[in-house]
Amino acid sequence: MSRTFECFFDLSSPWTCLAFHNLRPLVQRTGAVVRWRPFLVGGVHNAVNPSFVASRSNELTSPKWRQTAQALMDWSAWSGVTMHFPSRYFPLRSVLVMRSCCVLEEDQSTLERFMTAAFAAYFSDQRNLDDPVVVESVAAEIGLDGAALVASAQASDAKQRLRANTDEAVARGAFGSPSFFVPLGDSERLYFGNDQLPLVEWALAQRSPAPN
């Protein structure tokens, strides 16, 4: 039987964009099923790491930031993903587009198609996913009714779902995007970021709890 694991994600994260693409061969190799869980990474930082945004803005010229930016571009080349980061819309206010993802969450296949188009729109084409017109357009490009999706995203159900997903991720230990939760024995492992995908694959291959 296929194993299912979860990925809590925010479309504004460049490392999540890379992980989204790099998960595909992993899923093919393992036969596992990933369930995409939209959340608001800004809400996560506000809850568990409120100094993150301020420290990031202060470090844009630091050696650490320069190395991180170079690593991001190297991962982009290695993954075959065209990425322009940071774009003119960085940092992205992702509330609307993540609420749109919440509207699609129960239809995982459609959500994944929307994620593919949205990641390309923001990171490859440098389009503003905080603009309702852009979100409508991205949805229409994959055959959805973009106006209806944006309208649903602004309704209370989508707002509540995004808040609930974010609160759940924080309660389970998440501190950023992407956060992977992989069942392992009677518990689960949390893995963070594109770099830890090998550990996700390792955990999926385990048949019993691993030693702590």
Side-chain angles (χ1 to χ4, degrees), residues 66-138:
R66 289 196 297 269
Q67 197 282 327
T68 299
Q70 182 60 64
L72 182 67
M73 291 301 99
D74 290 349
W75 268 108
S76 171
W78 185 88
S79 305
V81 177
T82 301
M83 181 173 290
H84 301 290
F85 184 82
S87 81
R88 53 184 160 172
Y89 300 114
F90 172 81
L92 174 69
R93 186 177 185 274
S94 60
V95 175
L96 174 64
V97 74
M98 295 315 299
R99 287 176 180 167
S100 300
C101 288
C102 286
V103 173
L104 302 174
E105 185 176 354
E106 292 307 310
D107 184 348
Q108 287 279 301
S109 176
T110 300
L111 173 57
E112 191 164 334
R113 290 193 298 116
F114 181 73
M115 292 169 67
T116 301
F119 276 132
Y122 182 55
F123 288 108
S124 298
D125 302 334
Q126 300 193 71
R127 295 158 69 186
N128 182 11
L129 292 180
D130 186 37
D131 184 341
V133 174
V134 173
V135 177
E136 287 185 22
S137 177
V138 169

Side-chain angles (χ1 to χ4, degrees), residues 51 59 71 99 102 202:
S51 64
E59 291 180 357
R99 287 176 180 167
C102 286
W202 169 83

Side-chain angles (χ1 to χ4, degrees), residues 4-24:
T4 299
F5 66 103
E6 297 168 281
C7 176
F8 284 81
F9 72 95
D10 188 311
L11 290 168
S12 67
S13 161
W15 296 108
T16 305
C17 177
L18 292 169
F20 175 75
H21 290 281
N22 291 328
L23 262 178
R24 291 174 172 179

